Amino acid sequence: MACTICLNNDDKPVKMRKERDTFGELDVPDDKLYGAQTVRSVMNFPIGGIEERMPYPVIVAMGILKKAAAKVNIEFGLDKKLADAIMQACDDVISGKLYREGHFPLVIWQTGSGTQSNMNTNEVISNRAIQILGGKLGSKDPVHPNDHVNKSQSSNDTFPTAMHIAVGMELRDRLMPGLVALRDTLDAKSKEFDKIIKIGRTHLMDAVPLTLGQEFSGYAAQLTYGIERVCTTLPRLHYLALGGTAVGTGLNTRKGFAEKCAKEIATLTGIPFETAPNKFEALASHDAMVEVSGALNTIACSLMKIANDIRLLASGPRCGLGELMLPENEPGSSIMPGKVNPTQCESLTMIAAQVMGNHVACTVGGSNGHFELNVFKPMMVASVLRSIRLIGDGCQSFNKNCAVGIKANEAQISKIMRESLMLVTALNPHIGYDKAAQIAKTAHKEGGTLKDTAIKLGILTAEQFDQWVKPEEMLGPK
């Protein structure tokens, strides 16, 4: 039975070439740059298809580290002509060109060290370099995938290095823009709503007043702290395993290789990567990845709370709280005409749930590093990258299509606040807790107002009630 990569879009066999690995000879599609080990992985792990491909940022990161290694290896004996061809081939990986053309078909669900994706990268770069130098695809001459592209490297140190590069770049380029944009909008809303006094709620029940601005300031602070939490993970994320090779000892590398590669990677990415001070930790555990995932999980908790609050405060429009008015983006029902739903809130809460699930997977993976190597690497990095992408994109969408357009329904806010029995709390210093409670409970039972009930019970005069119960004076310490 032919493997799926050997068929074109018309399900017709394509021209093949022979390539060999240490297990023997295999047919490889002649229009692809990968080799025998990649084909063998496709055959052995037919899991999930294209939707489960190794994430694009990991492949870009692989291109970056291979380019850095080739440049450094010139100092340690790699022929400059070969190194230049390798680096040019790496540029085609880094640009995404070769990923889009289908030269990286392997799925996440492979060997837990990422060895097959490392060899996929080595084979593609080797064959692309051979093309550049005018050689024959699959010949491994003059550029060998192991001897030249993988020189002074092991899958055990390259894949964790790619994990850190990919996550570091995605945090900077995908997560932070979305988080910061949404945080800034919520902060602006807190200032816009600063003078709007509303009733607070604890245990989902009426509480004492605060301003809508104060409520939104809490949301903005949550995201500010989330940003800070991510930033605190970066020093460990910036440690790179490259140079540890198979078990962390650095066998088959040269002194200075690890440091020089980290410096070159930092230059290529603009991120202050450095060589990991302990390569045994860098290969055998991925605590830094779990730490990043933990920060993302906390952000997911924040987003769940924020989105839920906003959709509950906007519930209605006639029979809910109705304190907020959200942008109306699309029809909400296939049967109820005119219905509009808080869909951006729903999307963001689903994202939060998925991120929490991703963190569970990452936690399980991180806890299963056995002896000198953790073999949950592809799943862990894929989970973290998916969380980053979902949060980053989700925050951008929520910000653009919901947050910036949130308006306060001041008439409804004022109406609800005036009806709240918990305004009675302002009377505690004047008449004591017990009498204040008597007023509130009687008003609730009889359906009256606090003022009328206090007068009826003979506890207060109208003038005393108006003097002591002022929502605008209940917003903080006196």
Side-chain angles (χ1 to χ4, degrees):
M1 186 177 79
C3 66
T4 56
I5 63 170
C6 300
L7 301 174
N8 61 19
N9 291 334
D10 299 322
D11 290 344
K12 296 177 182 178
V14 299
K15 182 181 178 184
M16 309 297 283
R17 67 175 185 274
K18 300 289 185 181
E19 287 217 24
R20 175 177 292 274
D21 63 9
T22 56
F23 270 54
E25 199 172 65
L26 286 173
D27 288 332
V28 178
D30 203 36
D31 62 342
K32 300 302 180 194
L33 294 173
Y34 50 74
Q37 289 203 43
T38 300
V39 171
R40 203 174 294 282
S41 181
V42 171
M43 294 166 62
N44 290 337
F45 300 99
I47 303 169
I50 192 169
E51 294 85 1
E52 297 295 323
R53 267 206 303 178
M54 189 62 67
Y56 171 70
V58 174
I59 302 304
V60 171
M62 277 288 195
I64 289 169
L65 77 88
K66 296 293 180 181
K67 182 176 182 178
K71 183 174 181 179
V72 171
N73 274 324
I74 296 172
E75 300 180 37
F76 299 118
L78 180 62
D79 182 270
K80 187 175 185 304
K81 182 179 179 182
L82 301 187
D84 287 343
I86 290 171
M87 288 189 282
Q88 185 178 337
C90 287
D91 287 336
D92 287 341
V93 176
I94 295 167
S95 71
K97 176 179 181 291
L98 299 184
Y99 189 88
R100 291 189 297 272
E101 292 176 355
H103 301 286
F104 293 93
L106 302 193
V107 296
I108 298 159
W109 316 107
Q110 52 170 279
T111 175
S113 62
T115 298
Q116 278 113 31
S117 280
N118 181 45
M119 282 309 303
N120 181 188
T121 306
N122 290 333
E123 289 175 341
V124 167
I125 292 172
S126 168
N127 272 327
R128 179 69 187 108
I130 289 170
Q131 279 184 334
I132 291 167
L133 294 171
K136 181 182 177 183
L137 282 186
S139 66
K140 302 181 183 179
D141 181 36
V143 180
H144 195 283
N146 298 80
D147 297 337
H148 300 130
V149 182
N150 203 59
K151 181 178 172 62
S152 296
Q153 301 155 61
S154 161
S155 299
N156 296 352
D157 66 350
T158 56
F159 199 87
T161 297
M163 290 168 68
H164 282 223
I165 295 170
V167 169
M169 292 177 68
E170 286 292 283
L171 287 175
R172 179 192 64 189
D173 300 337
R174 178 88 71 156
L175 180 82
M176 285 302 178
L179 266 183
V180 170
L182 181 55
R183 187 276 311 274
D184 289 349
T185 294
L186 294 174
D187 185 58
K189 289 294 175 182
S190 75
K191 295 177 174 63
E192 178 184 339
F193 300 150
D194 188 48
K195 303 301 181 184
I196 301 173
I197 302 172
K198 58 162 285 178
I199 201 66
R201 296 177 181 86
T202 59
H203 304 271
L204 299 180
M205 308 300 281
D206 300 349
V208 296
L210 76 165
T211 69
L212 185 58
Q214 288 171 327
E215 194 166 41
F216 268 72
S217 76
Y219 306 151
Q222 282 187 277
L223 295 192
T224 294
Y225 299 150
I227 291 166
E228 291 173 356
R229 287 186 183 96
V230 171
C231 290
T232 62
T233 71
L234 297 180
R236 273 78 60 197
L237 184 66
H238 291 163
Y239 288 150
L240 299 182
L242 195 60
T245 63
V247 297
T249 60
L251 177 67
N252 288 351
T253 62
R254 302 285 289 275
K255 287 183 179 180
F257 173 80
E259 293 77 9
K260 290 176 184 291
C261 282
K263 184 178 180 180
E264 187 62 30
I265 290 168
T267 299
L268 289 171
T269 60
I271 296 173
F273 290 112
E274 56 185 298
T275 190
N278 189 302
K279 302 298 191 299
F280 307 102
E281 186 273 345
L283 272 62
S285 70
H286 290 305
D287 294 348
M289 204 59 48
V290 179
E291 185 181 12
V292 171
S293 185
L296 298 173
N297 187 62
T298 305
I299 292 168
C301 292
S302 298
L303 294 174
M304 181 73 82
K305 186 265 193 294
I306 293 166
N308 273 334
D309 274 12
I310 288 173
R311 66 172 162 182
L312 288 171
L313 289 170
S315 60
R318 295 287 180 87
C319 301
L321 294 179
E323 293 188 353
L324 297 179
M325 296 179 289
L326 307 184
E328 298 182 352
N329 296 326
E330 66 271 313
S333 174
S334 61
I335 190 172
M336 293 175 280
K339 195 173 192 297
V340 179
N341 298 324
T343 53
Q344 288 294 319
C345 296
E346 293 166 6
S347 173
L348 197 59
T349 53
M350 287 192 289
I351 286 170
Q354 183 64 59
V355 171
M356 293 172 194
N358 291 343
H359 181 54
V360 172
C362 187
T363 301
V364 172
S367 68
N368 275 280
H370 302 136
F371 304 122
E372 278 63 62
L373 191 68
N374 178 293
V375 289
F376 282 74
K377 300 182 196 300
M379 181 275 287
M380 290 183 71
V381 71
S383 296
V384 174
L385 288 171
R386 190 178 189 205
S387 292
I388 291 170
R389 183 172 65 253
L390 287 174
I391 293 174
D393 290 356
C395 284
Q396 293 279 24
S397 176
F398 187 83
N399 183 58
K400 176 183 176 183
N401 298 310
C402 181
V404 296
I406 292 174
K407 296 179 181 179
N409 186 345
E410 297 191 48
Q412 177 71 353
I413 289 171
S414 179
K415 176 179 179 293
I416 291 174
M417 186 185 66
R418 289 195 306 272
E419 294 173 351
S420 172
L421 298 176
M422 289 303 99
L423 295 177
V424 78
T425 307
L427 295 175
N428 288 357
H430 305 288
I431 63 174
Y433 183 94
D434 290 341
K435 287 186 178 180
Q438 182 186 0
I439 294 170
K441 291 174 72 69
T442 302
H444 180 54
K445 182 179 180 181
E446 297 180 354
T449 67
L450 289 175
K451 183 175 180 178
D452 291 344
T453 303
I455 296 169
K456 178 182 176 182
L457 293 172
I459 297 174
L460 293 174
T461 66
E463 291 76 14
Q464 287 174 318
F465 187 91
D466 291 339
Q467 180 183 355
W468 292 334
V469 182
K470 296 179 179 179
E472 65 274 11
E473 294 182 2
M474 299 175 65
L475 302 175
K478 293 184 179 179

